[in-house]
Amino acid sequence: MTDTIRALLTSRSVWIALVVLTVLSTLPWVASAYILGVLTIAYYFGVFAMSWDLLFGFANEVNFGPTFLIGSGAYAAGLLNAHGVPMWVCLIAGGAAALLGGVVLAVPALRLTGPYFGLTTLVAVLLLQQFIIIFASSTGGEIGLTMNDILSTEAITNYWYALGFMTVCGAVLFTLSRSPVGLILQASGQDRIGASALGFNVVKHKLAAFCISAVFSGLAGAMMVFYLGTASVGTVVDVSVGAQVIIAAVLGGRRTIVGAAIGSIFLILAGEALRPLGQLSTFVVSGVALLVILFFVDGLMGLLLRRREEP
Amino acid sequence: MADPLHAPAPAAGARVPLLDVQGLTKRFGGLVAAKDITFQIRAGEILGLIGPNGSGKSTVMQVIMGLHRPNAGAVRVVGVDVAGWPPHRIARQGVGIVFQHSRPLHRQTVLENIMLGLLPDKLLKLVANRHVREKARQIAERVGLGAVLNRKPSTLAFADLRRMELAKAIARDPQVVLVDEPFAGLTSGEVHAFAQLIADFRADGRAVLLVDHNVKSIASLADRVFAMYLGERIAEGTAEEVTRDRTVRRVYLGGGIDIVSRPTRPARNAPLLQVEDVSVLYGKAQALERVSIHVDQGECVAVVGLNGAGKTTLFNAISGLVPYSGRIGWDNSDLRGRSPAAIARGGVVQCPETRELFGEMSVRENLDLAGQHLTEAQAAEQLEWLYDLFPRLRDRERQTARTMSGGEQQMLAIARSLMMRPKLLILDEPTLGLAPVILEQISNALEQLRNTTSITVLLGEQNVTFALPHADRIYVMEHARIVWEGEPSAFAAEVAATYL
């Protein structure tokens, strides 16, 4: 136990995260409601990206469809709320729905090797999207679904909800990644044969990682629609949303968890800062992300961690 | 015996063998990789499983570990048949494996990498028990890693990485330990230390299976040796008995050694290829150590050596496929900095051991592809000449390469290399796993090349009998270095005895 605590305290990632969190917690006193709103979205994206990094960075499986899990959570919560179910039940149901969807998807998909797992997850997103559009009478189709409840009308309250949520999720995912099961998961991801020769059931560990990733994604998706007040394909299901999650995680630094959240905040803030460029802003942000991925494969956290942790 | 590595095994008595392989057969499609293999290893015993590349020895090891499912036969570990089980269950039944290549977790320390082997396969293990760290430390000290516990694997020397693999493999205290090429890439001093570690496994009462190319490297360690060739058992006994076995000698050396004196060549030609002090590292393993050879215009030079000696690495360095230190001169220029494609177009064409044919293309398409740099008339002429050299290929012109026999594929691979009109043809193990009748045809084609063309040939062979009659000069490679150079006529007297 003490070893784990000591490892956490000596980890540079933890200190970077604490510094960033301290800065972020002062913002409600200095930043405008508009900036707080942008960051609120960024924090939910941070949870999406951290969940995704658990799969990509640790289990070494590329989930091309993070929005399958996010969307399942968001729509499950939204549909229940539309039928008058209380918000906190809907949130739990969102996490559970994503878990269920994730298991149904991952159990057959994890038996496949190579790029096929990724392709399966991509197809799953398209299926979910079509499902929502076909059953437009209850899901709101392409227009979206309006919630009965919302988290809060106050920008500052929403900001604290999102920041707290991201911090808790991040702490859980980070601790998990540094624990013995995280070690086994990394071994399973990096060397399937080697890990199984050491007696580890690789499929079991990867499936567990997928389930954890699904619960956090679904829960974050549900939180986000209760913040926005609507659930729509364009915000929680579309493939381009998934692409943004992936870019954020890779940009922030693979296999760091903390980096995924920082990458999300950076990506969403950059998108907003460049909004005056109009259509060009997406282009510029994508271009920068591409350059970082091509030339700094370890991402932003990689740059911060390099000096001390790699002698 | 005075050899400390050969301490007598603890009395195994009538106990059940720890590993009992019975009638193991594994097929990959039409290829029988292992056929009816049967052996036992008792507690405190080391069995060497040897065979050249493609003999099926690695397949047998992988089937024991559960990486492949056998088509027939039983694998009993301490009396329990584990054939067909997934690897993680076989590991828990008591089998550990030391892979040839280590794939450590790079962000974790050496100690953490070893701890991995000690963790239970549980999902709710968020905190490691205190004794896990302590036990990992003990194991690390036992294999000689005590001083580097907190370093990252990327900063370790190659031998220490291998030690770490050993440590991981024994972390779970397996009854049966499989070791793949125990000494590959190690210096002679390190070999001794590793042999001692493996001898310790025996002293612990484990059953140890060493998988290697040849008897020589494991002779001092193995209590018994089991030799395979083309998926079948060819010999079994002490290292000495196996080395003397006629079938084994035929497989490795190709029967009795003929001394054919070649027509003497005129005064030395200018060197066409000049390899000077070339070294190659694979990661941290020394694959080639300061090798110098030269090949003169019109000469046929053979580099002989057992699998794993470094022949293919040498050829790949010449072809620009692996980075090297040293200098490779070609035709009064330097090959450094040129791409593999430029080197091949410049006249250095390699026919690789693995053939690398385009399996889904026909014979004709494979040849046409190699003739892309020629004019149509040249290509037609070259094709005609090749079909005369290998008449079998003319008959098979429309056949898909993948569906041809091994011998036919080898002919096609050679023909495809010749289609590029090389000045220097590098032939890597052209006889690997081929039947004698095919060997003769390839031998005839080589003879014809010598007599009718000016192509210079660099031949890599394990089969000395095949190489000697064709070569003007011989180099012998052993453990990444050239250990002998001379005329074929001197080979039998000077090196044949120590070759195996």
Side-chain angles (χ1 to χ4, degrees):
Chain A
M1 190 71 201
T2 48
D3 283 337
T4 315
I5 291 169
R6 199 176 55 221
L8 287 178
L9 286 179
T10 51
S11 162
R12 198 178 243 213
S13 303
V14 171
W15 291 107
I16 291 173
L18 287 178
V19 169
V20 173
L21 282 176
T22 311
V23 173
L24 295 178
S25 357
T26 60
L27 289 182
W29 288 277
V30 287
S32 67
Y34 168 71
I35 296 286
L36 294 183
V38 171
L39 282 170
T40 303
I41 293 286
Y43 298 159
Y44 291 121
F45 260 85
V47 178
F48 300 159
M50 288 190 291
S51 312
W52 189 80
D53 189 37
L54 186 71
L55 279 183
F56 179 63
F58 293 84
N60 209 16
E61 292 289 352
V62 187
N63 173 12
F64 282 116
T67 49
F68 174 73
L69 304 173
I70 298 164
S72 302
Y75 268 88
L79 286 170
L80 286 177
N81 191 243
H83 287 86
V85 177
M87 188 161 65
W88 66 272
V89 180
C90 295
L91 288 174
I92 293 169
L99 174 64
L100 187 69
V103 169
V104 168
L105 175 66
V107 167
L110 279 174
R111 303 208 170 275
L112 304 172
T113 49
Y116 293 100
F117 174 82
L119 290 178
T120 316
T121 55
L122 188 59
V123 172
V125 175
L126 301 177
L127 279 176
L128 178 66
Q129 190 161 359
Q130 288 311 307
F131 180 85
I132 291 167
I133 290 168
I134 290 167
F135 294 95
S137 53
S138 43
T139 62
E142 288 175 272
I143 298 157
L145 189 66
T146 307
M147 303 288 125
N148 278 336
D149 300 312
I150 53 170
L151 282 174
S152 167
T153 51
E154 286 293 316
I156 291 181
T157 315
N158 276 318
Y159 180 87
W160 284 119
Y161 277 138
L163 183 61
F165 179 66
M166 179 180 75
T167 309
V168 170
C169 292
V172 172
L173 288 168
F174 184 80
T175 311
L176 198 65
S177 74
R178 297 287 173 116
S179 72
V181 266
L183 196 62
I184 298 173
L185 183 62
Q186 284 186 71
S188 304
Q190 288 175 39
D191 184 357
R192 195 184 179 99
I193 291 171
S196 52
L198 287 177
F200 300 119
N201 185 344
V202 170
V203 172
K204 179 173 90 177
H205 286 277
K206 287 193 172 187
L207 184 62
F210 199 83
C211 290
I212 293 163
S213 180
V215 169
F216 281 106
S217 301
L219 200 56
M223 287 283 283
M224 195 167 91
V225 292
F226 279 115
Y227 162 66
L228 292 172
T230 58
S232 66
V233 170
T235 49
V236 288
V237 181
D238 198 78
V239 173
S240 68
V241 177
Q244 227 178 340
V245 171
I246 294 172
I247 291 171
V250 177
L251 187 69
R254 182 184 186 185
R255 227 184 294 157
T256 59
I257 301 290
V258 174
I262 293 177
S264 304
I265 295 167
F266 176 84
L267 198 68
I268 298 231
L269 282 184
E272 279 306 312
L274 294 173
R275 193 171 282 268
L277 293 177
Q279 284 290 355
L280 218 55
S281 75
T282 317
F283 182 80
V284 172
V285 172
S286 309
V288 170
L290 190 65
L291 288 177
V292 172
I293 292 165
L294 283 176
F295 295 105
F296 303 99
V297 96
D298 292 330
L300 300 174
M301 278 297 272
L303 290 174
L304 292 171
L305 293 176
R306 186 177 294 165
R307 252 166 246 124
R308 209 175 66 183
E309 292 200 355
E310 305 274 332
Chain B
M1 224 179 284
D3 190 345
L5 298 181
H6 245 127
R15 273 179 292 161
V16 211
L18 292 184
L19 180 67
D20 181 6
V21 175
Q22 288 290 338
L24 190 74
T25 298
K26 175 65 193 173
R27 287 185 291 270
F28 291 108
L31 174 82
V32 182
K35 187 176 169 191
D36 201 17
I37 299 297
T38 295
F39 59 78
Q40 289 91 33
I41 315 180
R42 296 182 174 277
E45 191 182 26
I46 299 181
L47 177 72
L49 177 61
I50 65 149
N53 285 348
S55 59
K57 59 182 189 305
S58 302
T59 304
V60 169
M61 183 188 69
Q62 287 162 354
V63 169
I64 294 171
M65 192 68 242
L67 305 177
H68 299 299
R69 189 182 284 266
N71 295 91
V75 177
R76 291 195 192 90
V77 177
V78 207
V80 180
D81 187 4
V82 300
W85 288 18
H88 66 270
R89 288 188 57 205
I90 294 180
R92 277 184 242 163
Q93 184 63 34
V95 183
I97 186 167
V98 183
F99 290 103
Q100 190 195 342
H101 300 287
S102 58
R103 278 165 291 187
L105 294 170
H106 288 288
R107 290 195 186 185
Q108 275 71 24
T109 62
V110 170
L111 188 68
E112 286 168 318
N113 267 281
I114 298 173
M115 274 171 63
L116 176 67
L118 292 162
L119 295 173
D121 185 26
K122 286 186 186 146
L123 291 173
L124 294 173
K125 200 72 198 166
L126 291 176
V127 182
N129 298 333
R130 184 179 296 273
H131 75 266
V132 166
R133 188 168 283 266
E134 198 37 51
K135 182 123 183 266
R137 198 185 300 275
Q138 282 168 10
I139 293 170
E141 265 153 26
R142 179 170 175 189
V143 301
L145 289 173
V148 294
L149 284 178
N150 296 313
R151 299 237 311 253
K152 299 273 168 75
S154 56
T155 67
L156 292 191
F158 178 74
D160 283 345
L161 282 174
R162 297 278 295 161
R163 285 175 202 274
M164 201 176 86
E165 289 303 306
L166 280 183
K168 276 160 71 181
I170 58 167
R172 262 173 211 278
D173 197 17
Q175 309 260 32
V176 178
V177 185
L178 317 173
V179 190
D180 193 8
E181 293 203 36
F183 307 119
L186 298 176
T187 65
S188 41
E190 292 161 353
V191 164
H192 190 77
F194 264 70
Q196 190 57 56
L197 286 173
I198 292 171
D200 289 348
F201 292 173
R202 169 171 49 199
D204 291 346
R206 303 181 208 274
V208 182
L209 180 72
L210 302 180
V211 178
D212 213 317
H213 293 304
N214 51 68
V215 186
K216 202 176 185 174
S217 52
I218 56 167
S220 63
L221 204 51
D223 299 309
R224 276 185 303 129
V225 173
F226 185 102
M228 285 180 74
Y229 185 60
L230 299 180
E232 297 189 43
R233 167 190 181 277
I234 53 168
E236 196 175 351
T238 64
E240 228 166 300
E241 285 163 2
V242 169
T243 313
R244 275 203 309 269
D245 184 88
R246 279 180 55 208
T247 320
V248 171
R249 293 192 80 80
R250 201 168 63 240
V251 163
Y252 281 91
L253 300 167
I257 296 175
D258 296 320
I259 302 156
V260 186
S261 56
R262 299 221 48 83
T264 37
R265 296 215 140 246
R268 238 190 99 182
N269 288 323
L272 185 64
L273 178 79
Q274 184 97 39
V275 174
E276 291 165 17
D277 264 349
V278 166
S279 299
V280 172
L281 291 172
Y282 286 146
K284 285 169 177 158
Q286 186 99 44
L288 216 54
E289 196 180 338
R290 298 174 65 91
V291 165
S292 297
I293 66 164
H294 65 91
V295 184
D296 297 346
Q297 173 65 48
E299 223 185 358
C300 176
V301 171
V303 178
V304 302
L306 300 174
N307 286 143
K311 303 186 297 290
T312 300
T313 305
L314 171 63
F315 299 155
N316 285 343
I318 296 170
S319 294
L321 296 167
V322 294
Y324 57 89
S325 63
R327 182 182 175 277
I328 300 179
W330 163 250
D331 210 2
N332 297 323
S333 66
D334 195 331
L335 284 185
R336 180 171 298 280
R338 291 200 218 168
S339 72
I343 292 172
R345 283 198 303 272
V348 183
V349 176
Q350 185 184 162
C351 176
E353 176 185 32
T354 45
R355 297 180 192 139
E356 305 296 332
L357 293 170
F358 297 100
E360 301 302 321
M361 293 189 192
S362 69
V363 168
R364 178 63 189 271
E365 285 167 330
N366 267 286
L367 292 173
D368 282 346
L369 200 66
Q372 287 299 309
H373 300 293
L374 306 177
T375 66
E376 220 164 289
Q378 282 174 330
E381 187 195 334
Q382 196 75 359
L383 195 65
E384 211 36 50
W385 174 69
L386 285 172
Y387 281 164
D388 289 341
L389 194 62
F390 296 110
R392 183 83 70 103
L393 294 182
R394 194 196 301 273
D395 306 335
R396 307 275 156 140
E397 194 176 22
R398 302 262 156 255
Q399 194 172 333
T400 311
R402 190 174 45 79
T403 62
M404 298 201 302
S405 75
E408 290 164 342
Q409 289 191 15
Q410 187 60 58
M411 290 180 196
L412 176 57
I414 298 174
R416 192 180 62 174
S417 307
L418 287 170
M419 191 76 191
M420 295 182 68
R421 294 192 157 184
K423 285 186 211 150
L424 172 69
L425 174 67
I426 301 176
L427 276 178
D428 192 4
E429 299 275 4
T431 68
L432 190 75
L434 298 185
V437 54
I438 304 283
L439 253 151
E440 203 174 309
Q441 292 178 20
I442 292 180
S443 189
N444 289 341
L446 269 183
E447 200 52 34
Q448 215 175 324
L449 270 184
R450 267 190 75 81
N451 297 333
T452 60
T453 71
S454 63
I455 298 174
T456 309
V457 177
L458 178 57
L459 175 66
E461 262 299 342
Q462 165 161 287
N463 181 338
V464 179
T465 316
F466 179 85
L468 283 186
H470 292 288
D472 296 310
R473 233 157 14 88
I474 305 262
Y475 289 100
V476 177
M477 275 196 96
E478 209 181 286
H479 224 87
R481 282 174 307 167
I482 299 283
V483 294
W484 187 82
E485 177 192 354
E487 307 264 322
S489 52
F491 182 87
E494 295 183 21
V495 265
T498 58
Y499 183 70
L500 253 198

